[in-house]
Amino acid sequence: MISEPKKKDLTVPQGATYPVRLRYLDSLGNPVDVASATVRAQLSNQFYEGAPDLTLTTENGKAFVEAEGWFGFTLLPADTEALEATVYYYDLVLTTSDGDVTRALEGQITITPGVPHD
């Protein structure tokens, strides 16, 4: 599995669709089949306190696993509009069908406010 999580900070406009995609490759650069894996990503504006502000999973349809080793999550307009425009910590965890759990991605997501529209 992935040895250390990749670190990536993101800036996401409120009200936009924002996909986050990763590709799992073996040491030779070939895609690894993750079709039977599950994905969970969580956003929280603070560490270790309370429930996450947003949870995106393959079970709730907000995270995905695709062919050729691709996986990730998509922030939908309703998700970002429901969040305060501030900085959130996030991580993305991939769990394979044989039980390997890997934190594949982590960082900060800054939600930027949008201009109100009629």
Side-chain angles (χ1 to χ4, degrees):
M1 291 302 307
I2 302 163
S3 59
E4 290 186 33
K6 293 185 184 274
K7 296 184 187 306
K8 182 157 180 82
D9 295 338
L10 307 169
T11 300
V12 178
Q14 268 182 330
T17 301
Y18 197 94
V20 175
R21 295 179 75 214
L22 293 167
R23 194 170 193 198
Y24 184 28
L25 303 173
D26 66 17
S27 61
L28 300 174
N30 300 311
V32 174
D33 181 15
V34 293
S36 59
T38 61
V39 173
R40 183 192 79 233
Q42 294 184 312
L43 281 72
S44 181
N45 66 1
Q46 52 192 322
F47 282 118
Y48 308 117
E49 292 188 26
D53 295 289
L54 182 61
T55 299
L56 309 120
T57 66
T58 46
E59 290 82 9
N60 70 15
K62 295 185 180 204
F64 56 86
V65 179
E66 298 174 344
E68 299 293 318
W70 291 101
F71 63 97
F73 62 90
T74 302
L75 294 168
L76 298 174
D79 296 326
T80 59
E81 288 170 358
L83 293 171
E84 180 182 345
T86 190
V87 176
Y88 294 85
Y89 302 98
Y90 79 100
D91 63 10
L92 184 149
V93 175
L94 178 73
T95 303
T96 63
S97 60
D98 60 0
D100 283 338
V101 178
T102 302
R103 185 166 24 145
L105 186 65
E106 66 183 15
Q108 296 180 354
I109 294 179
T110 302
I111 304 292
T112 59
V115 175
H117 296 274
D118 294 340

